[in-house]
Amino acid sequence: QHGLTRASHLVDQMLQLARLDPESGLPDPQAVDLAMVAEVVCAELGAEILRKNIDFDLSVSAPCAVSGQSDWLRVLIRNLVDNAIRYTPEHGSVRVCIRQKDGACELTVSDSGPGIPVAERSNVLRRFHRLKHAEQSGSGLGLPIVARIAELHGAQLTFGDSASAGLEVKVHWTL
């Protein structure tokens, strides 16, 4: 069952990458409220948050709408939040923050997991790249999908260290 679930997830991610083909562009962009999308994603992941007893916080300082495709932005947010939950140990913390500041919208996902070494941060955006000592299963496609969706939406993706010694991922849209 675990093998079938993993294979199904891999096929789904490969199909997502195919849909994000450079020639396809951004279909039918509309105003998308990032907070609403994040709330739905976080609710869907609630069972895993509770199972790991994670200190979880979703904060929205102001409404933040970006031009884009809501289904793809949902995939972007889900991949980032799911990774944060997966790599955060039990009783750790995950923070999701959406804010609008100085003509920009910013989504930040930070966790108290092991983080990604600075030297590896550009490598994790390559398809199928996995960290050598990664304890969690995965295909190495989640962050490349996030990077492609951010690119299609005119957003910048950056990695940093979180305040709790884990990883902080920011997606920044200039409005």
Side-chain angles (χ1 to χ4, degrees):
Q1 183 65 32
H2 179 67
L4 287 174
T5 301
R6 191 163 182 239
S8 174
H9 182 68
L10 176 62
V11 168
D12 183 51
Q13 285 188 315
M14 292 183 75
L15 286 171
Q16 287 174 358
L17 275 173
R19 288 184 197 110
L20 295 170
D21 187 279
E23 288 85 40
S24 65
L26 186 63
D28 192 26
Q30 299 175 8
V32 178
D33 182 347
L34 289 177
M36 289 181 67
V37 175
E39 286 175 13
V40 168
V41 166
C42 293
E44 291 171 352
L45 296 171
E48 187 62 15
I49 293 166
L50 292 172
R51 188 188 71 72
K52 291 181 78 174
N53 199 18
I54 290 175
D55 177 18
F56 186 87
D57 182 52
L58 168 62
S59 67
V60 179
S61 61
C64 213
V66 298
S67 177
Q69 209 281 333
S70 64
D71 288 339
W72 286 2
L73 290 170
R74 183 182 169 282
V75 169
L76 179 146
I77 294 171
R78 183 178 179 91
N79 280 351
L80 291 177
V81 176
D82 182 58
N83 276 357
I85 293 167
R86 188 174 330 141
Y87 287 96
T88 295
E90 284 191 33
H91 306 286
S93 65
V94 172
R95 303 280 177 259
V96 179
C97 177
I98 296 170
R99 66 185 189 145
Q100 186 172 2
K101 183 180 176 186
D102 300 328
C105 255
E106 192 170 80
L107 164 72
T108 304
V109 179
S110 57
D111 63 55
S112 61
I116 298 174
V118 174
E120 284 288 317
R121 290 181 182 168
S122 62
N123 293 332
V124 297
L125 298 177
R126 292 192 345 248
R127 294 176 183 186
F128 301 107
H129 181 80
R130 300 264 306 141
L131 296 177
K132 289 180 183 174
H133 304 298
E135 294 178 15
Q136 299 296 322
S137 64
S139 62
L141 291 174
L143 289 175
I145 289 170
V146 166
R148 180 65 183 136
I149 293 170
E151 178 186 0
L152 284 170
H153 285 81
Q156 284 188 294
L157 177 69
T158 58
F159 298 104
D161 297 322
S162 75
S164 53
L167 183 66
E168 179 178 88
V169 181
K170 287 187 180 188
V171 185
H172 182 89
W173 289 264
T174 301
L175 301 178

